[in-house]
Amino acid sequence: MTNSFGAFKESKSNGYSRSEFSVGLSSCLGLSLDSSGDYKILKIEGNEFGGRKVSGEIFTLKNNSWRKIGEHPRVTGNKVSAMDSLAFIRGAFHWIGFYSKTYFVVSFNISHEVYGEISLPEEICLLNTRKIDISILEGMLCAYSNTYDQGIRTFKVWVMRDYNLKESWNAILSIEDRYLLKAMPKYRFANGEILFWSAHLRGMDINFRTQRGPFTLLPRGKFQNGFTYTESLISPRLLI
């Protein structure tokens, strides 16, 4: 965040002043502008590996305060990563939710503050793995998986060409590499090549790559990651 957003609201608790905003090791955030022109931040807590389900929270810039939101009626857990931001498309944030070992996409409309569900690709649903996630690629909802089977590690990417239509999931990338520990799609070039962040077992190498190999225009480094974004034409300062 920048100082354009001012200070978060504080409250008194047991005589001590504390910020209402806190981020845990499994917190994932998303920032967007709703239909009324108000900036909002959504915070979702992950609990994929146990622990109680924690209600999501939302911050509105106009009110300068945080509040809890209602829970999804079916979701028993959220699969989110503190390393990433919530995927945003069609006026809604998206992340992976699960119920009774069934994974699906949870959506949360930022203007109306209502939940929705979107099915994952059939092939992902059949995988015996938790290494699945979603992002936005070329303006479309994107799902990807990192699997390991009989000594082969496979990174696969799908995009949903027609939003919220299960039949429109289309596989656009599949890479087999025995040393590929994890990969995340970041951008799709005009020629169809996909830029992805990857962690390699060989030499513990972490860098950006495409199907053709390392992408040398971006720096290498253990903590390098990246986000694709579109700059807003509305300054948050105008809303304070």
Side-chain angles (χ1 to χ4, degrees):
M1 305 303 165
T2 70
N3 56 10
S4 299
F5 288 90
F8 290 128
K9 182 180 178 182
E10 293 191 345
S11 63
K12 294 286 185 177
S13 177
N14 297 326
Y16 294 95
S17 177
R18 64 175 179 83
S19 171
E20 291 186 354
F21 175 69
S22 62
V23 178
L25 294 176
S26 60
S27 301
C28 191
L29 304 174
L31 166 68
S32 187
L33 187 70
D34 72 7
S35 58
S36 71
D38 190 10
Y39 276 94
K40 292 181 178 179
I41 301 173
L42 178 65
K43 182 177 73 167
I44 298 297
E45 297 288 346
N47 65 332
E48 182 186 9
F49 301 105
R52 65 184 181 88
K53 182 181 176 183
V54 179
S55 297
E57 295 182 69
I58 196 164
F59 174 84
T60 57
L61 183 61
K62 287 182 178 178
N63 294 331
N64 192 31
S65 63
W66 286 90
R67 57 182 168 82
K68 293 185 181 297
I69 58 176
E71 296 183 354
H72 187 287
R74 202 163 71 94
V75 170
T76 56
N78 298 307
K79 184 183 185 303
V80 296
S81 170
M83 288 182 61
D84 301 314
S85 59
L86 296 171
F88 186 81
I89 188 175
R90 297 292 186 97
F93 290 109
H94 300 74
W95 65 93
I96 299 288
F98 57 90
Y99 168 77
S100 186
K101 298 183 180 180
T102 299
Y103 289 83
F104 49 90
V105 179
V106 179
S107 65
F108 183 80
N109 185 284
I110 197 64
S111 297
H112 304 295
E113 298 188 8
V114 294
Y115 288 102
E117 289 183 22
I118 298 175
S119 298
L120 285 164
E122 192 68 32
E123 188 175 345
I124 278 187
C125 296
L126 297 175
L127 293 175
N128 184 24
T129 181
R130 290 180 172 179
K131 293 185 177 180
I132 57 176
D133 214 329
I134 60 170
S135 63
I136 303 300
L137 196 64
E138 208 174 24
M140 295 177 285
L141 191 62
C142 165
Y144 59 96
S145 65
N146 290 271
T147 59
Y148 179 76
D149 183 42
Q150 297 182 354
I152 299 297
R153 299 178 187 273
T154 304
F155 170 54
K156 196 161 185 177
V157 180
W158 296 259
V159 292
M160 179 174 263
R161 298 198 179 279
D162 296 312
Y163 182 75
N164 205 14
L165 181 62
K166 181 179 180 180
E167 293 75 18
S168 71
W169 280 114
N170 184 38
I172 60 172
L173 176 68
S174 182
I175 294 177
E176 292 186 354
D177 186 336
R178 62 184 300 184
Y179 298 108
L180 185 62
L181 179 61
K182 183 179 181 180
M184 296 182 288
K186 293 297 180 180
Y187 185 74
R188 193 178 190 187
F189 296 103
N191 63 0
E193 277 196 301
I194 296 175
L195 177 71
F196 57 92
W197 176 94
S198 67
H200 231 244
L201 288 173
R202 179 176 286 177
M204 295 306 293
D205 192 21
I206 296 179
N207 58 17
F208 288 92
R209 306 171 65 88
T210 68
Q211 297 96 307
R212 295 190 295 177
F215 190 72
T216 57
L217 295 180
L218 291 174
R220 302 159 69 99
K222 187 173 182 179
F223 300 104
Q224 292 292 338
N225 205 330
F227 299 94
T228 302
Y229 69 94
T230 302
E231 187 174 0
S232 173
L233 298 178
I234 302 176
S235 170
R237 292 181 183 275
L238 300 177
L239 303 176
I240 298 177

